[in-house]
Amino acid sequence: MSSSEVMRSERSAKGMFRVAAVLLGLGILAGCQVQPLYGNLSGNSQSVSVSKVDSRVEQVVRNELVLGFGGEQPSGAYTLDIDATAAVAGILPGGLDNEFSAARTTVTATYVLKTTQTGEVVKRGTRSADAQLDLPSQNFAQERAKIEAENRAAKAVAAQVRADVAAALAR
C-alpha cells in the first residue's frame, strides 16, 4: 500500500468517525425536552401573578419573584400572596457601653399559592433567610448596613419561595 493510499484510508476513517459522532449527538439531543418552567410555549397555563405588598422588604421579595417568574403577570393562572417581615438581632456585644458591633437580619416570608379561577390553595409555606452585618458607630452607616442586609436576606428568601412554587407547579 502506498503512502497516499494510507493517508486516504485514514481520512476516510476520521470522516466516518465524525459522522458517527454527529449522528450519536443528534440521537441524544432528540430525547431532550426543553420547556419553560412557569408556563408553556403557547400560553400562560402556569403563569404566576404576585400580589401587591405594603413594606419595603416585601417589595424587594416581590420584585425578585416577579423577575424570576418572567415578568409581571396581571392575569396569571396562579396568584401568589406574600407577607414578609424583617428583624434585626444584635450579636457580639463589645466596645464602649457593651454596644453590639455586629448583627444578623432575618427576613421571614409567608406565602400562599392559589389558583386564580377557583381560589384553591396549591401550596403554602414559610421561608426565612439570614444576612450578617457590621454595626459601625455612625447612625447613617448603621441604617444603610441594615437596609443592605435586609435586601440580601429578602433576595435569598425570594429564591427559596420561587423554588417552592416551581416544585408545586411541576407536579
Side-chain angles (χ1 to χ4, degrees), residues 109-151:
T110 303
Y111 65 93
V112 179
L113 179 66
K114 300 182 278 189
T115 58
T116 302
Q117 289 189 348
T118 64
E120 175 188 351
V121 174
V122 177
K123 174 86 173 154
R124 74 174 64 229
T126 301
R127 291 297 190 163
S128 63
D130 293 333
Q132 311 303 321
L133 67 140
D134 290 325
L135 295 173
S137 60
Q138 298 173 340
N139 288 335
F140 179 77
Q142 283 184 8
E143 289 305 310
R144 284 305 310 165
K146 288 176 186 177
I147 289 171
E148 291 299 322
E150 286 175 351
N151 289 347

Side-chain angles (χ1 to χ4, degrees), residues 19 45 95-96 102 107 123 132 149 155 167 169:
V19 169
S45 68
L96 298 175
V107 173
K123 174 86 173 154
Q132 311 303 321
K155 289 177 181 182
L169 294 180

Side-chain angles (χ1 to χ4, degrees), residues 41-124:
L41 297 175
S42 63
N44 65 348
S45 68
Q46 290 188 336
S47 60
V48 179
S49 174
V50 183
S51 64
K52 302 297 181 194
V53 293
D54 300 325
S55 71
R56 191 194 66 75
V57 172
E58 286 177 326
Q59 188 65 46
V60 173
V61 173
R62 182 185 188 282
N63 288 348
E64 288 295 313
L65 288 170
V66 167
L67 289 174
F69 293 145
E72 190 73 44
Q73 304 288 335
S75 60
Y78 297 92
T79 302
L80 183 66
D81 295 326
I82 293 285
D83 181 34
T85 58
V88 178
I91 56 176
L92 298 175
L96 298 175
D97 298 329
N98 213 21
E99 294 174 350
F100 290 108
S101 61
R104 175 179 43 241
T105 296
T106 302
V107 173
T108 304
T110 303
Y111 65 93
V112 179
L113 179 66
K114 300 182 278 189
T115 58
T116 302
Q117 289 189 348
T118 64
E120 175 188 351
V121 174
V122 177
K123 174 86 173 154
R124 74 174 64 229

